[in-house]
Amino acid sequence: QAVFDPDHCIPELWRVVASIVLLQAMGCSGSKSEGGSNYGGSKPNGGKKSELVDVSGLTSKAKDNKGLLDQPAQPKFKGALCQIYVRSAKFGGSDKSSNGHRYDTIPFANGMINSGLSCQLIHYVHEEHDKFFEVCAKFDFLIVRCNPGQIKADGGDQGKFDGGMREMRKQGIQVWPSPDVMEFMGAKDALCKVATLNIGLEDTLAYYTEEEFAEGFKKTMKFQPRVIKQ
């Protein structure tokens, strides 16, 4: 089992940056949006006004959306942030705040909104699998924020969920991260694989034995505080 100590505590940096890069590739600028929360807008290639995706048929596990900005009046693209609430766990899981959202959910969504995109918050409930993906098919992009193991812990099937997301990709809907990216880049050593890229930190290290950890970590600790991920 590897231990990592990236210099700056920016959780899942590569996933965040990858999403931003993909959004830019879709032609989305960083201009701040205006408008209320009741209406969506027009796609760049459509020009037809349309309301936000109706998610009222899905069960929401959140107590509130406090802190979430109003959705843009005319979003460039329609998006959703998908979460999983483990009903048997306190607050829905160790990654959740008391409102039922992940700690980073509102900042993620607000980042999309400030870039001119809509970002609606939805929860995956395995009993509503078919209905969930019917709704997902109406979005342009999906941000998946489901911790590994939590879908199973809630009684669902991770493979079935991944299959649904793969189908979304076949329909031309962007899924970040996709199941295949999670499979090949989901381990923490992905941070080491991108260490020398512009989105990485070159002093990100991986230790695979106790001896390597004892030698390497103590050496880096001489210079500055470190962050460990296991």
Side-chain angles (χ1 to χ4, degrees):
Q1 194 171 36
V3 179
F4 305 89
D5 58 334
D7 184 27
H8 303 291
C9 186
I10 308 177
E12 298 166 327
L13 173 65
W14 66 273
R15 292 184 190 171
V16 178
V17 176
S19 296
I20 294 172
V21 170
L22 287 169
L23 288 173
Q24 291 175 339
M26 291 168 66
C28 305
S29 69
S31 59
K32 191 171 183 177
S33 61
E34 299 178 356
S37 58
N38 295 328
Y39 294 96
S42 54
K43 291 185 179 181
N45 61 351
K48 296 182 179 179
K49 186 175 181 180
S50 61
E51 296 182 352
L52 293 175
V53 174
D54 183 4
V55 299
S56 61
L58 300 179
T59 300
S60 175
K61 293 297 182 179
K63 294 180 180 178
D64 59 66
N65 295 330
K66 186 176 182 180
L68 182 67
L69 299 175
D70 287 343
Q71 301 291 342
Q74 293 185 324
K76 298 172 182 177
F77 294 93
K78 298 179 184 179
L81 192 150
C82 310
Q83 306 171 91
I84 175 67
Y85 185 95
V86 183
R87 283 164 279 186
S88 61
K90 185 177 181 180
F91 299 138
S94 60
D95 59 332
K96 306 297 190 305
S97 183
S98 59
N99 64 1
H101 289 305
R102 283 177 56 102
Y103 291 104
D104 55 8
T105 290
I106 300 299
F108 260 71
N110 285 345
M112 301 297 111
I113 293 171
N114 279 329
S115 294
L117 303 99
S118 65
C119 190
Q120 296 172 254
L121 310 180
I122 58 178
H123 282 88
Y124 176 73
V125 178
H126 67 88
E127 293 91 344
E128 301 173 353
H129 177 89
D130 292 340
K131 186 189 302 183
F132 178 84
F133 281 102
E134 286 176 8
V135 172
C136 285
K138 299 176 182 179
F139 290 102
D140 299 308
F141 68 90
L142 302 168
I143 301 174
V144 181
R145 304 294 292 150
C146 301
N147 269 9
Q150 289 194 338
I151 290 178
K152 182 178 179 181
D154 191 51
D157 184 332
Q158 182 70 52
K160 187 176 182 180
F161 176 84
D162 290 347
M165 286 300 171
R166 288 190 176 96
E167 181 59 33
M168 295 298 99
R169 284 177 52 80
K170 290 180 181 178
Q171 295 182 29
I173 299 168
Q174 298 292 332
V175 178
W176 306 315
S178 69
D180 296 319
V181 168
M182 283 296 293
E183 180 179 351
F184 295 107
M185 293 286 286
K188 295 296 189 292
D189 61 355
L191 296 171
C192 296
K193 295 177 182 178
V194 300
T196 58
L197 303 180
N198 290 336
I199 62 173
L201 298 168
E202 291 195 17
D203 58 350
T204 301
L205 305 171
Y207 308 113
Y208 296 94
T209 67
E210 292 185 13
E211 292 75 21
E212 289 178 352
F213 175 69
E215 180 181 357
F217 185 69
K218 290 178 181 178
K219 185 184 297 183
T220 60
M221 278 294 292
K222 291 181 179 179
F223 301 99
Q224 59 187 329
R226 306 294 292 178
V227 176
I228 304 176
K229 298 182 76 69
Q230 183 171 343

